Amino acid sequence: VCFFGAILAQDSVQSAQWQRPCTAMAPKKQTKKPLPKAPLKKEPAKKEATVETLFEHRPKNFAIGGDVQPKRDLTRYVKWPKFVQVQRKKKILLLRLKVPPSLNQFKNTADKSVAAQTFKLLKKYQPETKKERKERLLQLAKEGGKQSGKAPHFVKCGMNFVTKLIESKRAKLVLIAHDCEPMELLCWMPALCKAKDIPYMIIKGKSRLGQVVNKDQATCLAITSVKKEDEADLAKLVSSAKSNFNDAGRPKWGGGILGPKAQHVIAKREKALADEAAKKAGLMI
C-alpha cells in the first residue's frame, strides 16, 4: 500500500508542474526586406579592332618554371676574385693612411693628350720581334755578313739598362710606369733623373709600356735617339716632361682622407661645438 501511495504522489506532483501557466512570448516584428534596385543599363562595350598577327601576345610569367628572368644588377652579390678584392682594399688603404712623398709622386701622371703623343712617337721605334730579327740576320748572312749603315733607332727597356743610360746621360727621355709592384723598385728613379738632369715622365699602365717593346709589362722605357724628322716631336715631349715633372718641385705627402661616415661624424661634432659656443657668447652678452 505504501509503494502504490508513493507512486500516486509522484504522478500528482508531475501533473501539477505541467499545469503551471507559461509566460507568453512577444510576437516578432515583421520587417519587410528592401527590394533590390533595378540594375542600370550597361552600355555595350566597344569591340576593339583586332589585328591578326602571326604571334599571339602573352604576358610574361616570371614565376618558378616560367619565362627567363630579366637581367638585374647583381654586382653587390658577386663574390669577386681575390686579386680584385686586394686591389680595392689597397686603394682604400692608400686613401686612409699617410703615403710618403716618394710613393705619392706616382699619382701625378701625364695627361691623356701628352700620353697619346708619346705612344705615337714610341710606336715608330718599336724594337724588332724575334721573327723579324731572325729574318734580318738571315738576310745579313746571305749578303756576306757585313752590316751597312748606322745602327737602327729602338726604344730601350729594362730597369738595369735604363738606369745605366740615365747615369751615363745617354737617355733623352725616360718613361716610368705608375703601377709598378712593389713600388719600392722604382721610387728612386725620379730622384735619379732629377739629379742627372734627364727629363722623365710618369705614364699610366705598365702593360701599355710593355706593348711598345713586345712584352706583357714594362716598368720603364728610355729614348736615346730618334730620326731627324721626329726631333721636333721629341723636343715638345721633353719640354712638357721638364715643366710637369722635373721642375714641379718636391713631392708632397698623400693620403689621410677619412671615409664618408667619419667625415659626417666630425662635421656633426664641429657643428654642435659651434652652436654651444654661440649660445655661451649670447649669454655672456
Side-chain angles (χ1 to χ4, degrees), residues 121-238:
L121 180 65
L122 290 174
K123 202 171 183 181
K124 295 180 182 179
Y125 300 99
Q126 272 187 311
E128 57 187 1
T129 59
K130 288 183 179 179
K131 188 178 179 182
E132 292 171 350
R133 185 171 181 274
K134 188 178 179 182
E135 290 174 357
R136 181 175 62 82
L137 291 175
L138 285 171
Q139 187 67 26
L140 188 65
K142 287 178 183 178
E143 292 175 356
K146 289 182 180 179
Q147 190 172 359
S148 59
K150 294 181 180 180
H153 304 283
F154 287 136
V155 177
K156 308 300 187 292
C157 65
M159 196 183 304
N160 293 334
F161 189 28
V162 171
T163 305
K164 287 177 183 177
L165 291 173
I166 295 169
E167 288 173 345
S168 60
K169 294 187 178 182
R170 282 188 290 159
K172 292 186 177 178
L173 179 64
V174 177
L175 306 170
I176 305 169
H178 87 295
D179 55 348
C180 178
E181 189 65 36
M183 210 63 204
E184 287 76 8
L185 292 172
L186 277 180
C187 63
W188 48 267
M189 192 171 279
L192 180 64
C193 289
K194 284 182 180 179
K196 297 292 181 180
D197 196 24
I198 289 175
Y200 73 95
M201 199 182 292
I202 297 171
I203 300 286
K204 275 190 176 182
K206 56 187 176 184
S207 57
R208 293 170 74 194
L209 293 179
Q211 288 174 2
V212 175
V213 291
N214 305 314
K215 293 184 178 181
D216 293 335
Q217 297 172 353
T219 55
C220 54
L221 301 178
I223 299 174
T224 54
S225 60
V226 292
K227 296 176 183 176
K228 283 187 178 180
E229 57 265 24
D230 295 323
E231 284 180 357
D233 296 336
L234 180 63
K236 287 180 184 177
L237 292 174
V238 166

